[in-house]
């Protein structure tokens, strides 16, 4: 855009370049672009902060492709090398972001042994039923099994609770204890295993990927670092079709978990499913904004 | 905070240097990352802007080389850009009116034929050929007019203390 005349005069060429640059900065989207730019830079900085310890503790597996590295770093005993070939990570930036999120979330999980979430279970779209609401509280995990309590409190006529206490798993209604089950079964018996994503977000997410999920997004551009995984066709129908885990940008603890079922992806439109036997449309777990958990004795008190 | 304070004028400097929007984005990101990593080596007694632009310049050069791209910027031009960027930084961070507002004011003061050409090219996000067609001029004449307009704008900004 500058002429030969300007090229021979550094000052004139510098004038032209600066003016052009200033005009660029007057574009209508520049303010948003600048925010995005800063956010990306901060993401890159955070990624660089955690990259070193993550890489240094990773097992050495030279045969694994570059795209698989972050999983190698994160697997840490919960997965297998074979699983790596089944993983789809869409882009290199996603890989870097996911690596950062996983590394930070793993560290955060080690330092937290109690958490509470509000829960909303949305009925299938074709059923005019109220959403079910409740909460779940997880305290600690002696012997690698969590002590937890999950209560559905709304609507009242559907109130129900599940939990794991010292004696094992239990299920109860307001009328009393319904059943007990082995403690090791808690993950499958309560919310179809969805709770494991709250309790051990990263190992559970990696485990899901092993069993047939693709990681399709890892973003750190919003205030909440986020991982999203979608199910491949081979996974059982009970599993959610999409899993979204958001982490607190400061602490990297799970702040939001969304499980979504969408039968239309497998050729059965959700609005044609009918009946009460199908999965809900969505379950949302939102971290409760309190640092003081209420005392709960985790007994089935009905 | 430091990042936000310096993002605007830093990006202007990088754009002036590389004249390619996607490359400018890459240089910006890398510059801040390198600055963060080397922040301990930054002499706090010295101004931050020139240090940041020095990193940006080296980063741009490295990217040019890495990409084997023939985007040669004469060192004299780089120095001249740096002089202007330094003034721009001061005005970006300290003046009552933002330098981009001052630029807009200067555009308003341009003679009409120059102002029209600038508006079409920059505000309309069009090409020089579009300017030529819209103003019924030849391509070379349009280039000359735009060049003249930019020089007038630079003079105006200097008068107002935005550029040195």
């Amino acid at each position: 855009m500058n002429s030969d005349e300007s090229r021979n005069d550094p000052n004139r060429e510098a004038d032209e370049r600066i003016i052009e640059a200033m005009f660029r900065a007057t574009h209508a989207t520049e303010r948003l672009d600048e925010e995005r730019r800063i956010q990306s830079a901060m993401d890159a900085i955070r990624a660089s902060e955690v990259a070193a310890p993550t890489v240094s503790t990773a097992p050495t597996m030279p045969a694994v492709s570059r795209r698989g590295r972050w999983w190698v770093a994160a697997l840490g005993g919960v997965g297998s090398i074979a699983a790596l070939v089944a993983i789809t990570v869409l882009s290199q930036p996603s890989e870097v972001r996911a690596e950062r999120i996983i590394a930070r979330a793993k560290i955060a999980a080690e330092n937290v042994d109690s958490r509470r979430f509000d829960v909303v279970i949305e009925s299938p779209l074709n059923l005019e039923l109220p959403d079910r609401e409740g909460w779940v509280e997880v305290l600690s995990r002696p012997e690698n099994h969590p002590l937890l309590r999950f209560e559905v409190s709304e609507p009242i006529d559907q109130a129900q609770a599940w939990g794991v206490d010292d004696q094992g798993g239990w299920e109860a209604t307001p009328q009393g204890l319904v059943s007990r089950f082995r403690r090791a079964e808690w993950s499958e018996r309560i919310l179809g295993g969805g709770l494991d994503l709250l309790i051990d977000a990263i190992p559970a997410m990696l485990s899901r990927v092993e069993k047939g999920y693709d990681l399709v997004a890892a973003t750190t551009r919003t205030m909440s670092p986020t991982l999203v995984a979608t199910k491949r066709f081979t996974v059982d129908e009970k599993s959610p079709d999409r899993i979204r885990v958001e982490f607190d940008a400061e602490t990297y603890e799970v702040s939001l978990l969304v499980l979504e079922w969408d039968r239309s992806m497998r050729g059965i439109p959700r609005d044609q499913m009918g009946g009460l036997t199908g999965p809900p449309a969505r379950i949302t777990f939102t971290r409760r904004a309190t640092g003081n958990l209420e005392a709960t004795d985790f007994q089935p008190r009905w | 905070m430091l990042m936000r304070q310096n993002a605007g004028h830093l990006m202007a400097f990088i754009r002036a240097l590389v004249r390619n929007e996607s490359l400018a984005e890459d240089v910006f990101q890398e510059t801040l990352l390198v600055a963060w990593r080397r922040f301990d080596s930054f002499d706090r007694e010295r101004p931050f802007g020139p240090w940041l632009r020095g990193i940006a310049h080296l980063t741009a050069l490295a990217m040019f080389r890495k990409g084997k791209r023939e985007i040669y910027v004469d060192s004299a031009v780089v120095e001249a850009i740096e002089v202007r960027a330094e003034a721009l930084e001061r005005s970006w961070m300290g003046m009552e009116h933002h330098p981009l507002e001052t630029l807009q004011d200067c555009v308003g003061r341009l003679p009409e034929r120059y102002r029209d050409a600038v508006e079409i090219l920059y505000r309309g996000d069009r090409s020089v050929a579009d300017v030529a067609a819209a103003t019924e001029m030849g391509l070379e004449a349009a280039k000359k007019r735009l060049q003249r307009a930019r020089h007038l704008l630079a003079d105006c900004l200097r008068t107002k203390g935005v550029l040195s």
Side-chain angles (χ1 to χ4, degrees), chain A residues 118-119 136 191 195 198 255-257 259 283-287:
Chain A
D118 290 331
V119 184
V136 60
L191 280 174
L195 275 180
L198 290 182
S255 61
L256 181 75
L257 168 66
L259 311 175
I283 303 179
T284 304
F285 301 85
T286 307
R287 184 74 182 261

Side-chain angles (χ1 to χ4, degrees), chain A residues 59-261:
Chain A
T60 304
M61 286 188 276
V64 176
S65 73
R66 195 153 182 255
R67 281 179 176 265
R69 280 183 314 174
W70 68 269
W71 294 104
V72 176
L75 281 168
V78 299
S80 65
I81 297 173
L84 294 173
V85 299
I87 292 167
T88 304
V89 179
L90 292 183
S91 66
Q92 191 69 14
S94 284
E95 177 185 338
V96 173
R97 287 192 291 270
E99 182 176 342
R100 173 174 79 79
I101 292 169
I102 286 171
R104 293 288 295 265
K106 283 176 71 180
I107 293 168
E110 289 170 3
N111 297 322
V112 177
D113 57 10
S114 61
R115 63 209 83 176
R116 184 166 178 151
F117 293 83
D118 290 331
V119 184
V120 177
I121 303 172
E122 296 177 38
S123 300
L125 298 176
N126 61 322
L127 301 176
E128 292 184 3
L129 295 172
D131 294 343
R132 281 174 286 170
E133 297 178 21
W135 52 266
V136 60
E137 187 167 9
V138 184
L139 278 188
S140 60
R141 16 184 351 169
E143 300 170 25
N144 215 30
H145 291 294
L147 293 179
L148 62 89
R149 183 183 186 93
F150 168 45
E151 288 190 9
V152 170
S153 51
E154 296 288 341
I156 293 174
D157 61 352
Q158 294 179 34
Q160 198 163 352
W162 299 259
V164 178
D165 59 20
D166 293 337
Q167 282 75 52
W170 54 266
E171 181 178 355
T173 66
Q175 288 72 43
L177 192 65
V178 173
S179 66
R180 276 207 171 263
F181 51 86
R182 292 193 303 118
R183 192 159 49 168
E185 294 175 5
W186 72 268
S187 180
E188 294 174 4
R189 294 287 291 268
I190 302 176
L191 280 174
L195 275 180
D196 61 350
L197 287 155
L198 290 182
I199 295 162
D200 292 312
I202 296 304
M205 182 69 103
L206 296 173
S207 176
R208 298 288 175 122
V209 170
E210 273 192 274
K211 292 172 183 169
Y213 280 78
D214 292 325
L215 182 82
V216 296
T219 177
T220 52
R221 286 185 176 176
T222 62
M223 289 302 289
S224 303
T226 303
L227 292 176
V228 178
T230 60
K231 186 168 66 174
R232 291 195 294 272
F233 291 104
T234 51
V235 188
D236 71 275
E237 291 193 1
K238 289 181 180 176
S239 304
D241 293 285
R242 283 179 297 281
I243 299 169
R244 176 187 181 88
V245 187
E246 292 186 14
F247 300 87
D248 183 280
E250 295 297 322
T251 65
Y252 273 77
E253 295 167 21
V254 176
S255 61
L256 181 75
L257 168 66
V258 182
L259 311 175
E260 290 182 320
W261 285 261

Side-chain angles (χ1 to χ4, degrees), chain A residues 17, chain B residues 13-19 23-24 26-28 30-31 34 38 52-79 81:
Chain A
R17 285 170 176 258
Chain B
F13 171 76
I14 293 170
R15 279 171 165 152
L17 209 57
V18 304
R19 293 180 125 176
L23 185 59
D26 290 344
V27 172
F28 180 88
E30 188 65 20
T31 298
V34 171
R38 297 184 183 171
L52 208 52
R53 289 192 291 276
I55 293 173
H57 182 208
L58 293 175
T59 301
L61 282 177
M63 286 191 175
F64 286 154
R65 288 181 189 132
K66 193 177 174 183
K68 296 178 181 173
R69 298 171 68 162
E70 285 285 327
I71 306 178
Y72 176 73
V73 187
D74 191 283
S75 59
V77 175
V78 176
E79 281 180 26
I81 292 173

Side-chain angles (χ1 to χ4, degrees), chain A residues 47-58 99:
Chain A
S48 73
E49 283 182 305
V50 299
T54 303
V55 171
S56 66
T57 56
E99 182 176 342

Side-chain angles (χ1 to χ4, degrees), chain B residues 24-42:
Chain B
E25 296 275 359
D26 290 344
V27 172
F28 180 88
Q29 298 292 327
E30 188 65 20
T31 298
L32 292 186
L33 188 58
V34 171
W36 178 263
R37 285 175 181 157
R38 297 184 183 171
F39 195 69
D40 288 344
S41 68
F42 168 60

